Structures are given as C-alpha cells and as structure tokens.
Amino acid sequence: MVHNNPGEKPYETKYNDPYFLKAQGFNGAVTHWHINCAITYDNYIQHLIPLESKERKWMEDKAAEIDIKLKEFEKAGIAVYPFTDFIVFPQSVWEKYGEEITGVGNVGGTGGMDARARKPDLQSKRTQDLLIAQIDAIFNRFPELDGLTLRFGETYLHDTPYHLGGNPIRDGEDAIKDHVLLLTVLREEICVKRGKKLFYRTWDFGYNFHNNPNFYLAVTNQIAPHPNLIFSIKYQQGDYHRMTPFNPTLGIGRHQQIVESQSRMEAYGKGAHPYYTAKGVIEGWPETKYEINFSDNRFTGRLNETSVPRGIKDVLSSGLIKGVMTWSNGGGWQGPYIKHEIWTDLNTSVVAGWAQHPDWSEEDLFYQFAQNLGFKGLSLDLFRRLTLLTVEGVRKGHCCSFTANDVWWTRDEFFSAAANLPIINEILQKEIAEQVLAEKAEAVAIWRQIESLSKEIVYPADKLKEAIQVSCSYGRIKYQLIESMWVLMLEKGRIDRGMEVDRLKLQSAISKYDQLWDEWRMLEHSSKFCATIYTDLAFRNQKSGSIGELVDGLRELCR
C-alpha cells in the first residue's frame, strides 16, 4: 500500500508501479484512489447527482483516471483492493437524505477535523440501502476490481471536495453492534454475492476493535468465516510505535487475518534516515522481552512470559495468518520528504520476502537484499551492523526506558515538547534525569557509530553511497538535537518547579541546540539525496507546545 498525505500531491514512488510490484513478488495492491467517490449513484436514483454539475464532473473525471490505472494493474497481474471509505457520500446525497442518515454524536478520529465531517447513522435503513447501492455501483463501474479494503477508523476528506462523511461506528457496546451490522452487509454484498475479497481493517482509536482481544472476539464470533473475508490488523497493539506490546488480537478467533506493517514509520523519520524495522516486525522488538504497559508505553518491571507473542512469526502456528500488507510508502502528515528510497526498499523487501517464504530467516533475507544491491564481502557485514544499530539507536533516542512515554511527541517533521510535560515531571520527581540523559547520550553514541560505519563500507555505486552516508549524518544530527531537546526540556521543568537557573549552563545548551539546527540545514542543502529536515514546530505547524516555543522562552531567561 501507498498512502498519500491528505490534501497533498500524491507520492511519486515505484511502489505505485504494478510491474515493479509484480517483480518484487507482490500479488496485490491497496490503492489510495478514493474509489468510493468515483460513482454517481444512478443505480439508486437516476441523476441523483445532477447532470452537468461540478460535483458529477469531478466524479466522472475521477472514474476515468482510475480506469487508466486499473488497466495497468490488470495487465501486470496485480490484484487491486482499493482503500475504501464506505458511507462517505456525495453532498447531493446528504442534501436529500441528511435527516435520515445522520447519526448522533461527533465524528471520531483525525478526519473529524474537517468541516465536511458527518456522523452517519449505520442503523438507519436508508443508510444501509445507500451502502448497498454504493457497493453495487463500485463493482458495476469497476468490474475489474478484485475486492475492497475497508477504512473506518479515520476518514479524510481533503482530496474529495464534493463528499461528506466520517467514521460510522459508535462508541462502547454500540460499536460492537455497528461492526456486526457493517460486516454482515459487506460480507454478503462483496464476498458472497460477488465473490470478491474484503479486507476488513480493525484500525481504530482507544482500547477497542484493533487492540482489545475481547472486543475483537465479541465482533468476529458473530460473523461466519468466509474464504473472501480477511481481517487486516497492524502488528502492534496500537500504532507503529516502539515501547508498545505486540497486538494480542493477532492469531486468535476463527477468521483469516493479514498483518499490516509499515516500511517507513512517521514517528521515526519516514525513511529520511536508516531505521531497520523488518527484524522487529518479524521477530519482535528487543524491548518486548519485557512486559510493557499498553496504556502508557512503559516497562512494568516484569519479564514477558515466553508464551507471549513478540513478532509475526510467533503467531504463525495459529493457521490464521494469510499474508502481509506493507505500508511501503505513506502514513502521517507532511514531511520529511525523502529523495531516495533505500530504507523503504530494505524494510519492504525483507518483510515481503518473509511473507512469501516464512521458513527463511530474517538474516538470510537481509543478506539477499544487500547482495542484490551489489554489496560484497566485509561491506555486507558492515551494512548489516549499521542497520541493526538503528533499532536501539531510534528507541533510546525517541523513548525513555525509565518512565512512561508519549510516543507521538515527535512525528512527521514536528517536535511537540508539551507532550512530554508529564514525563519531564515524572523524571524530576523520581530524580532520574541522569539516567534519562545517559540514555540519550547512548543513542547519540550509537548514531555516531552508524555514521562512521557508513564511511567504512565499499559501495557498488556512487549514488547509493551518497544517499546512505547523507541519511546516516541526518540521523546523527537529528538524535543529537533530540538529546539537546531533552536537556532543555528538563531545564524548563526545573525552572517551572522554582529551582535556580544556571544561566551559563542554559546558554551553552541553547548554543549547542542552535548549532545542530544550522548543521542540519547545511546538510539538507549539501546533497540532492538528503530528505527535507524537520521544523521546530509542534504537530501540523503549531507554535503552541512546540520545542521552538519552549526554547524561545528559555532564551528570554538568558538575556
């Protein structure tokens, strides 16, 4: 799957090329085409979307665009299962049936920020009729489709200007009823009547369908298995984060499952610097040797039982795992924007290769990838060592082993210092700042080693050499900067507690912080392969709560 940033130009990536996917051994693609918005509902009421309207013209143009892409996938022999926001309807549908299909409450999920968000009433007969018409229209208009992939937990309307809608699932016990109803309709219309595949994603927020085994079974046990019905589930108990348990809904129940993995995680650089994730996906992350509290992403102090799954390989014996969906590209918002796909390629290749050959080891698949790039001899092992170092270089830089974690404090191209305020308070209360900063220093030491290793390797091509070396320097600067941020966040925490300010120490820390930003900007301009760098703003360009705001406040104290 390639998921484009909402509201932005679609990614230009080889992972949109069906012939490339075929050559890599993929047999299907989850395309981000907004296919549910490319139909006119003439099968429900003729000219429900007025003829000659801008609304209808947009839909017809979108359909024609999809036709071209779909033909290429069909020629390449790659099945297509588009990402589909069911019950996102055209504005004309809402104008005519709004009172009948509007539910109670607010739209959940990030998509609820959009002014066109609407809470559908899934229990309404009219909504159900329109849903069935929607499915019928999609397959009548695009009969070549092999199936559909449901998205319900987040709904984004940024790229569909004439459509309204949102997550149709209610909260609590009502959510179970809604899922059962939605599954019943989709299973009948897609899997039974049309013999097409339905990938029903369980992704949502809170402790619900995606990560709560009791909730998952309460829904799925009410639905009869079908060979065309597959539940799609991320491998982590939550989003793609470190200090997070393996997803306990995998390998249970009686339905087929496909596992979602992400090749370039938005919380950890988006491929701008090396971060080897495939080993963690397959075998489990090093930290999952220990029990982790899902609610606040901290160690409990206990070892995990050996029977607790840590990676996908640990649930294969269930017989339920039928494949892997790689988020080869996408996830998150805005930047950083990469200029070379080496780290995306590595993670995608190893996970996809293992999905095709689960009896092969991760290490063998890694070396096969590296040899295909042209690495030889000692350089193969140096490349392996470099990538393995990133596993803990990333975790120890971003997260704390000694406290709770706000796993979203840095994501995409943003640093949200305010998110760490409770963690800073915990560190100061427990008097463990020395341990925390030692871990950040260790992370920087790891990244210095990574940067050095990148210069020891003999490369098969100059472009690859530049891309890897620049990305390793990018990672070293970023994690040095993060270390400085923790120093400054802790200083701010001490000041807020009324402790005396050491102005010389503070000035030195700010100076180092500024120097690293300057070095990062210079690196960005030094190479065409360098990804765009981060900003000092908080999530989605907010000044409030940002690291920039925090440091500016500290500057004032030094004057």
Side-chain angles (χ1 to χ4, degrees):
M1 185 174 81
V2 171
H3 187 281
N4 300 309
N5 284 345
E8 293 187 17
K9 179 184 175 182
Y11 283 116
E12 293 182 9
T13 170
K14 56 183 174 288
Y15 291 96
N16 282 326
D17 180 352
Y19 300 99
F20 171 78
L21 297 181
K22 188 70 172 180
Q24 295 295 303
F26 286 97
N27 56 19
V30 178
T31 57
H32 196 194
W33 293 344
H34 303 288
I35 203 159
N36 54 291
C37 298
I39 54 173
T40 61
Y41 294 85
D42 284 347
N43 60 325
Y44 191 68
I45 292 180
Q46 190 75 6
H47 305 156
L48 176 57
I49 313 301
L51 294 173
E52 308 304 326
S53 65
K54 290 182 180 179
E55 182 183 16
R56 191 179 185 101
K57 175 72 163 54
W58 184 91
M59 294 172 189
E60 290 171 345
D61 289 347
K62 174 62 71 173
E65 175 188 307
I66 292 171
D67 283 335
I68 295 169
K69 295 176 181 177
L70 196 50
K71 284 177 184 176
E72 289 302 306
F73 278 84
E74 193 176 16
K75 286 180 187 176
I78 294 290
V80 178
Y81 310 105
F83 224 34
T84 309
D85 292 303
F86 292 104
I87 320 184
V88 166
F89 296 135
Q91 62 187 24
S92 292
V93 170
W94 286 93
E95 288 168 4
K96 186 173 181 64
Y97 300 114
E99 291 186 7
E100 295 179 70
I101 65 176
T102 301
V104 177
N106 296 321
V107 176
T110 313
M113 297 176 182
D114 195 288
R116 289 175 290 118
R118 298 290 186 277
K119 184 69 173 179
D121 180 3
L122 191 54
Q123 300 296 320
S124 162
K125 177 65 164 53
R126 179 70 70 182
T127 305
Q128 295 167 30
D129 289 345
L130 284 166
L131 170 60
I132 291 169
Q134 185 178 60
I135 296 166
D136 182 60
I138 288 172
F139 285 108
N140 284 340
R141 179 61 184 80
F142 307 103
E144 308 94 330
L145 290 178
D146 300 275
L148 296 170
T149 302
L150 167 85
R151 177 169 68 178
F152 81 89
E154 298 177 70
T155 303
Y156 299 109
L157 305 170
H158 303 66
D159 302 292
T160 56
Y162 298 100
H163 287 76
L164 298 80
N167 180 359
I169 307 299
R170 294 171 292 173
D171 298 325
E173 290 297 316
D174 289 333
I176 294 174
K177 296 175 186 176
D178 287 346
H179 274 298
V180 170
L181 173 58
L182 184 56
L183 268 162
T184 300
V185 173
L186 297 182
R187 180 186 181 278
E188 176 64 21
E189 295 296 323
I190 297 172
C191 304
V192 177
K193 282 187 182 179
R194 293 172 174 82
K196 306 285 189 176
K197 281 188 170 57
L198 169 65
F199 292 94
Y200 196 101
R201 300 184 72 236
T202 62
W203 173 247
D204 59 5
F205 295 97
Y207 189 53
N208 297 304
F209 199 8
H210 180 64
N211 46 37
N212 180 342
N214 293 330
F215 190 111
Y216 177 84
L217 293 175
V219 173
T220 60
N221 282 348
Q222 297 186 60
I223 304 298
H226 190 281
N228 287 331
L229 173 61
I230 302 103
F231 286 89
S232 186
I233 306 169
K234 294 182 182 182
Y235 70 92
Q236 300 272 175
Q237 189 176 16
D239 218 333
Y240 298 114
H241 289 296
R242 302 296 295 276
M243 296 297 292
T244 303
F246 187 75
N247 198 329
T249 67
L250 283 167
I252 65 172
R254 55 193 185 129
H255 288 270
Q256 301 174 98
Q257 298 175 335
I258 189 169
V259 184
E260 297 183 29
S261 73
Q262 192 175 31
S263 296
R264 53 184 203 93
M265 302 178 181
E266 64 262 35
Y268 308 113
K270 274 184 169 174
H273 58 70
Y275 177 36
Y276 185 45
T277 62
K279 185 176 176 65
V281 172
I282 296 166
E283 299 179 357
W285 300 105
E287 67 268 25
T288 56
K289 173 183 177 181
Y290 307 97
E291 188 178 74
I292 297 170
N293 187 8
F294 165 63
S295 64
D296 60 3
N297 303 93
R298 74 164 76 229
F299 288 127
T300 67
R302 295 184 290 271
L303 277 173
N304 251 330
E305 298 289 335
T306 55
S307 59
V308 174
R310 295 175 57 192
I312 307 175
K313 71 177 183 60
D314 297 329
V315 293
L316 287 185
S317 60
S318 69
L320 300 173
I321 310 300
K322 301 302 178 183
V324 168
M325 180 211 297
T326 63
W327 288 59
S328 302
N329 214 311
W333 299 80
Q334 296 176 237
Y337 301 99
I338 61 174
K339 310 293 178 58
H340 197 284
E341 294 189 304
I342 173 61
W343 306 119
T344 304
D345 294 342
L346 171 62
N347 291 319
T348 304
S349 177
V350 175
V351 171
W354 180 81
Q356 296 167 74
H357 306 285
D359 53 325
W360 293 11
S361 72
E362 169 274 326
E363 185 176 16
D364 286 344
L365 289 160
F366 177 96
Y367 277 113
Q368 181 184 74
F369 172 84
Q371 287 171 336
N372 288 341
L373 280 181
F375 288 116
K376 298 177 182 178
L378 176 62
S379 291
L380 279 168
D381 290 325
L382 293 174
F383 185 59
R384 170 78 170 171
R385 188 177 171 197
L386 182 158
T387 56
L388 290 178
L389 282 169
T390 66
V391 173
E392 284 295 75
V394 163
R395 184 185 73 86
K396 288 174 180 278
H398 277 271
C399 304
C400 286
S401 299
F402 314 104
T403 65
N405 282 281
D406 187 307
V407 291
W408 284 121
W409 83 272
T410 174
R411 59 164 300 177
D412 304 307
E413 58 186 11
F414 309 111
F415 295 106
S416 300
N420 277 329
L421 184 58
I423 290 94
I424 295 298
N425 288 334
E426 181 182 350
I427 292 167
L428 294 174
Q429 184 178 351
K430 291 182 176 179
E431 299 182 343
I432 56 172
E434 184 177 356
Q435 285 176 281
V436 169
L437 292 179
E439 186 173 48
K440 303 307 166 199
E442 182 191 357
V444 170
I446 291 171
W447 280 97
R448 288 190 184 279
Q449 190 177 4
I450 290 167
E451 187 177 35
S452 294
L453 282 167
S454 74
K455 296 172 183 177
E456 294 180 42
I457 294 169
V458 176
Y459 292 89
D462 288 342
K463 288 182 179 179
L464 184 64
K465 176 182 178 179
E466 184 178 348
I468 289 178
Q469 289 184 346
V470 166
S471 72
C472 290
S473 294
Y474 185 110
R476 188 263 304 163
I477 296 167
K478 173 185 164 183
Y479 286 96
Q480 273 191 284
L481 194 53
I482 286 175
E483 179 190 26
S484 291
M485 290 177 189
W486 280 95
V487 169
L488 292 166
M489 287 188 288
L490 284 165
E491 285 302 307
K492 178 64 163 59
R494 291 187 180 99
I495 291 167
D496 290 345
R497 285 173 166 247
M499 301 171 72
E500 187 175 348
V501 181
D502 184 338
R503 281 182 167 75
L504 287 177
K505 179 181 177 182
L506 192 55
Q507 286 172 343
S508 176
I510 293 172
S511 177
K512 183 177 181 182
Y513 170 89
D514 289 339
Q515 288 169 10
L516 285 165
W517 274 112
D518 288 342
E519 185 181 6
W520 213 0
R521 293 184 191 101
M522 288 174 62
L523 182 75
E524 183 180 16
H525 293 120
S526 74
S527 170
K528 65 181 180 180
F529 295 117
C530 186
T532 60
I533 67 171
Y534 287 50
T535 78
D536 67 351
L537 298 173
F539 181 49
R540 298 184 70 185
N541 298 303
Q542 296 298 307
K543 181 70 173 179
S544 176
S546 68
I547 191 67
E549 180 187 53
L550 182 145
V551 176
D552 285 347
L554 293 175
R555 290 185 205 279
E556 289 298 316
L557 290 175
C558 294
R559 295 188 181 193

